[in-house]
Amino acid sequence: MTDITGALHVTHEDRELTLRLTLGGLGKLQRKHGVTIGGLLDEDRDEGELLNFGILVDTISVALQKGMRMEAEEADDLADDLLTADQEIAIRLLNAAFPEAGTRGKGKSTGKSRARR
């Protein structure tokens, strides 16, 4: 069975998590950070240019809220831990949400969080 577009499954500290970045979640992020979500969706961004880390945490948090039916405060805290353990999780989440766009980033994944694919 095919998984829902936008779903990313990860294991973090022996806990199975589902993150879902949906159109509703993207809309929520756009309302807070602007149409390109503070550059997150900007394809013209320089490869070495860092994103605002708050936007990354917010993106993971919104996906946890949807995927795990988690309250915002708990999701914010867990999103911070996930990104601290594995900065590539944001790229994998975007690739899950936009599979037709291909890989948005390159790099070696670090930390204990990992995608189950």
Side-chain angles (χ1 to χ4, degrees), residues 6 8 10 17-21 25-26 29 33 37 40 53-68 70-72 74-84 86-94 113:
L8 176 68
V10 298
L17 303 168
T18 299
L19 292 78
R20 283 193 57 221
L21 186 57
L26 289 167
L29 291 166
H33 298 287
I37 309 175
L40 187 66
F53 295 120
I55 293 168
L56 295 177
V57 173
D58 287 348
T59 301
I60 300 301
S61 177
V62 164
L64 283 167
Q65 289 171 49
K66 181 69 172 184
M68 299 296 293
M70 190 176 285
E71 293 296 322
E74 181 184 2
D76 288 347
D77 188 53
L78 183 54
D80 182 33
D81 290 347
L82 286 169
L83 278 163
T84 299
D86 179 6
Q87 296 80 34
E88 298 294 322
I89 193 170
I91 293 168
R92 292 195 314 274
L93 181 59
L94 287 172
S113 295

Side-chain angles (χ1 to χ4, degrees), residues 4 6 11 21 30 33 35 40 43 45 47 59 63 74 79 89 96 103 108 110 112 115 117:
I4 298 171
T11 302
L21 186 57
Q30 285 180 322
H33 298 287
V35 175
L40 187 66
E43 294 292 331
R45 190 177 67 253
E47 182 149 339
T59 301
E74 181 184 2
I89 193 170
T103 302
K108 183 179 171 186
T110 60
K112 293 184 180 180
R117 286 195 168 215

Side-chain angles (χ1 to χ4, degrees), residues 2-55:
T2 304
D3 207 351
I4 298 171
T5 298
L8 176 68
H9 304 284
V10 298
T11 302
H12 178 73
E13 296 180 351
D14 297 324
R15 184 174 174 190
E16 299 296 320
L17 303 168
T18 299
L19 292 78
R20 283 193 57 221
L21 186 57
T22 63
L23 290 176
L26 289 167
K28 185 178 190 180
L29 291 166
Q30 285 180 322
R31 284 189 299 277
K32 183 173 182 180
H33 298 287
V35 175
T36 66
I37 309 175
L40 187 66
L41 301 180
D42 188 358
E43 294 292 331
D44 296 328
R45 190 177 67 253
D46 292 334
E47 182 149 339
E49 185 180 348
L50 287 177
L51 289 169
N52 176 312
F53 295 120
I55 293 168

